[in-house]
Amino acid sequence: MTTRYVAGIPIPDSAMARAATELMRDNQSSLLFDAARRTFVFARLLGNSRELRHDPELLYIAALFLRIGVTGLYRHSQQRYEIDSADAAAAFLSGYGRSREDIGQVWDAVALHTTPGIPAHKPPMTALLSAAVDTDMLGTYSQALCPGAIDRIFREFPREPGFKIKFLHTLALGQLHRPHSTFGTVNADVLAFHDRHMKVGGFCEQVLASKWPY
């Protein structure tokens, strides 16, 4: 089978990578699936530009599983969706006999990708995945990439019309049943944007309401 390249980046094609691709294609919308694949390519390009060593196959798995936690599979979960996504990626990798270290790298990268300020100070897997998400959503690190490469990524894995609102709507719908889980992440803002009357709560409110007697 011929290796597929996007913007000069080979898409992993091992048995494990193919299984993850099919699993994620079957269990999330094309909007989320294409965003995950864009994120992988952005992460690889950023890793190359920063000369950060990373395992492309593990990075691919992490990117694919990023947002599985907002799908209907987790409609009853009360965890942060990022934790559900990280747990799913870990279970998948465990099924393929990957080491505890490999699984831990992917778990951290997926779990921390919406936590501001932390990923950039973590090992390459976590730092690159978070930077790639910021690039796909906001163009944050696009200046480090060749414009031609960016164009090729979006041609290969396009954004559908109305992507921005649809994407935020998808994230919100996957968390409306667990607003408390969004505290401390960008997802609190996602829910507030979706429903101005939704009350997530915050640290100050928790401190003032605490029954701790000291």
Side-chain angles (χ1 to χ4, degrees):
M1 182 177 293
T2 303
T3 300
R4 180 185 187 188
Y5 287 81
V6 176
I9 298 298
I11 304 300
D13 192 39
S14 65
M16 183 175 77
R18 290 195 301 271
T21 299
E22 292 307 311
L23 182 64
M24 292 300 100
R25 180 184 283 119
D26 291 344
N27 286 286
Q28 58 185 312
S29 66
S30 59
L31 181 144
L32 292 179
F33 185 57
D34 282 342
R37 294 191 290 176
R38 287 194 304 270
T39 297
F40 166 72
V41 181
F42 279 130
R44 287 292 325 273
L45 290 172
L46 289 170
N48 292 344
S49 71
R50 299 176 183 184
E51 299 183 345
L52 293 177
R53 295 184 62 183
H54 57 279
D55 183 319
E57 188 177 40
L58 290 179
L59 188 61
Y60 183 67
I61 300 300
L64 287 182
F65 277 85
L66 263 183
R67 303 179 183 101
I68 192 64
V70 298
T71 68
L73 295 173
Y74 297 91
R75 63 175 60 89
H76 301 300
S77 174
Q78 292 301 301
Q79 295 192 111
R80 281 176 53 173
Y81 92 77
E82 304 93 318
I83 303 301
D84 286 329
S85 298
D87 285 349
F92 177 84
L93 289 170
S94 179
Y96 278 85
R98 297 306 294 249
S99 69
R100 180 175 297 182
E101 181 182 359
D102 287 349
I103 293 171
Q105 286 184 54
V106 171
W107 196 95
D108 283 354
V110 175
L112 290 171
H113 81 274
T114 62
T115 304
I118 302 298
H121 302 281
K122 300 292 284 182
M125 179 81 66
T126 300
L128 290 175
L129 195 66
S130 176
V133 168
D134 286 348
T135 299
D136 185 44
M137 293 293 109
L138 307 170
T140 306
Y141 300 101
S142 59
Q143 71 278 3
L145 306 176
C146 170
I150 295 172
D151 289 341
R152 288 193 293 275
I153 293 169
F154 281 100
R155 281 201 304 270
E156 192 71 26
F157 307 129
R159 284 185 170 187
E160 59 188 69
F163 170 83
K164 293 179 181 179
I165 291 297
K166 289 179 181 178
F167 181 82
L168 293 175
H169 182 63
T170 297
L171 289 186
L173 288 182
Q175 300 174 89
L176 287 175
H177 62 287
R178 45 179 164 176
H180 62 280
S181 73
T182 67
F183 171 61
T185 75
V186 299
N187 295 306
D189 187 56
V190 170
L191 289 189
F193 180 79
H194 181 80
D195 184 348
R196 300 294 183 186
H197 301 291
M198 179 159 290
K199 191 171 181 61
V200 172
F203 177 69
C204 296
E205 180 180 316
Q206 291 177 8
V207 169
L208 293 174
S210 171
K211 302 302 182 184
W212 178 241
Y214 297 96

